[in-house]
Amino acid sequence: MQRIVAVNAMAQANGIAPGQTLADARALLPQLAVVPEQPGHDARALGRLAEWCTRYTPWTAVDRADQCGSAGLWLDITGCAHLFGSEAALVDDLIARLKTFGFAARAGIADTPGAAWAWARFASSGDVAVPPVGQREAIAPLPVAGLRIDAATVEALHSLGLRRIGDLYNFPRASLPVRFGALLLQRLDQALGHIAEPLSPRQPPIAYRALIAFAEPISEPAGIAATVDNLLHDLCAQLAQRDQGGRRFELTAYRCDGTTDSLRIGTGVPSRDPAHLARLFAEKIEKIAPGFGIDTMALAAPVVETLPARQAPLAAHDAAFVDLTQLFDVLGTRLGHAQVMRLAMRASHIPERAVERVAAAAPVVPAQWPDTPRPLRLFQHPEPIEASAVLPDEPPFQFVWRGALHRVARAQGPERIAGEWWRERAPTRDYYRVEDTDGRRFWLYRDNFDEPRETRWFLHGLFG
């Protein structure tokens, strides 16, 4: 049996309501046009609308379909309404824009989510907002279905003559959970503000955010770039007030057709320099497609770190370091931050483990290199050589590497480097610095020297 899930205003005016069978609906309105329900498409559309609604507040969430067959959106507009003039002006702008997208919507504003939910769906008053601390009187005449309870509970309440939310005020509280389940009393207390009902936003709320709404949509690259500059100065001023610096910045453009476009940049170290951040956004700004025009742009810093005020660099090397980190950011924006690396010392005596690749802008950890000289070039894998020594404990007097014979003129060593005991294979090596008769210098080592007959020699690096 096919049933009606949702109706538009014209169908509702002809007596068709959600829950009716399709046959009954066609009997009332033979020319009724129907389309199959697609819950997956509806969920994705609601998700896109919730993202678009972040132009009003960063705290948005999807309200799934209720027992009446309708779904909606939660918007926590605390501290945001003044940006649009008033709460009523914000809602009027929201409803008007949704109408241009082809959506019919009702809105309700209240101190509690439960009261706002009931007001949006069942209030007949022309006022969209419930008076502050007035939700008890405001929702009293609304149907009990406004408490977000299932149809069976609504039917049970109706059988006892409890049709309005206000009818429950004087009903013995202790008997409500016994007769109708614990959810009814919980929903009533949430709507009246007796117990808290936190909302889970679609995305974690962002503390630092700047927004600009345009009187007329913009589409020119120059206008977009100028807006980015203004947003950066506003956002960086917010960060400076709390000694913070951003590590990641997100620019969102809200188009007139209800779609959004986003750009993201990152920095290796916390930054609140508008000029530097503008250069990073300039690398990607052409990726924003204005479409039919952009009516709002927002800039947020979802990842921040402490960045206290610092005196301007006095030494040349301090200024050079600042310039270098900004260069890392530019290269990272172009190539990807994972592709910009540098070498850093690691606490290990094993030569091939003494250096590791880290992000170019990673903090510099103080470290001390060994006192003994190290070659400028190490082979990725030590290369075996044939070496000849007078005694096992002495350096070789000649060796063969890659088919060429090298006669040793000078040698220093040994430098014994023991393996890390916590590793399964941790051999001990004796290293020698040798120079051949042609003046070339090599870094050799031998291992397995406890067995003279099985001693092996390797060439590990070349000195410059």
Side-chain angles (χ1 to χ4, degrees), residues 176-377:
L176 286 177
V178 177
R179 289 173 175 264
F180 310 105
L183 182 62
L184 174 61
L185 184 58
Q186 177 185 346
R187 292 302 193 195
L188 179 61
D189 286 342
Q190 287 175 338
L192 297 179
H194 296 160
I195 60 177
E197 183 182 4
L199 297 179
S200 298
R202 186 173 179 270
Q203 295 180 346
I206 299 173
Y208 299 96
R209 188 170 183 261
L211 182 142
I212 294 179
F214 309 111
E216 296 291 336
I218 65 171
S219 58
E220 295 296 328
I224 297 175
T227 302
V228 172
D229 288 341
N230 292 334
L231 289 171
L232 283 170
H233 281 87
D234 188 358
L235 185 63
C236 290
Q238 297 179 33
L239 294 171
Q241 289 178 354
R242 299 189 180 182
D243 288 340
Q244 298 289 312
R247 289 291 303 274
R248 194 170 77 237
F249 297 84
E250 297 182 358
L251 177 68
T252 304
Y254 300 86
R255 304 189 187 97
C256 295
D257 59 358
T259 59
T260 62
D261 203 354
S262 299
L263 289 180
R264 295 173 177 83
I265 63 169
T267 60
V269 296
S271 175
R272 55 171 182 259
D273 182 357
H276 173 55
L277 298 174
R279 286 194 294 270
L280 299 183
F281 272 115
E283 300 283 339
K284 296 184 175 183
I285 201 71
E286 70 277 0
K287 295 182 180 179
I288 292 184
F292 294 104
I294 298 171
D295 56 26
T296 302
M297 293 185 72
L299 179 65
V303 179
V304 298
E305 294 181 6
T306 301
L307 180 62
R310 294 183 300 178
Q311 185 173 342
L314 299 178
H317 69 274
D318 292 337
F321 178 75
V322 173
D323 293 339
L324 197 59
T325 58
Q326 294 185 355
L327 174 62
F328 293 156
D329 291 340
V330 174
L331 293 177
T333 302
R334 293 178 181 177
L335 308 176
H337 288 277
Q339 307 301 322
V340 185
M341 311 291 289
R342 65 176 175 84
L343 298 179
M345 184 179 177
R346 182 165 52 184
S348 177
H349 292 286
I350 306 301
E352 58 267 34
R353 290 182 48 78
V355 173
E356 63 179 341
R357 290 183 178 181
V358 299
V364 177
V365 179
Q368 183 177 1
W369 290 97
D371 295 334
T372 54
R374 290 287 184 266
L376 296 179
R377 177 187 174 191

Side-chain angles (χ1 to χ4, degrees), residues 21-38:
T21 64
L22 180 58
D24 291 342
R26 289 195 185 277
L28 293 173
L29 190 63
Q31 67 271 29
L32 180 67
V34 296
V35 293
E37 181 192 17
Q38 296 177 305

Side-chain angles (χ1 to χ4, degrees), residues 9 93 163 174 188 205 353 394 450 453:
D93 184 78
R163 298 182 177 276
L188 179 61
R353 290 182 48 78
E394 292 187 356
D450 293 333
R453 294 183 179 181

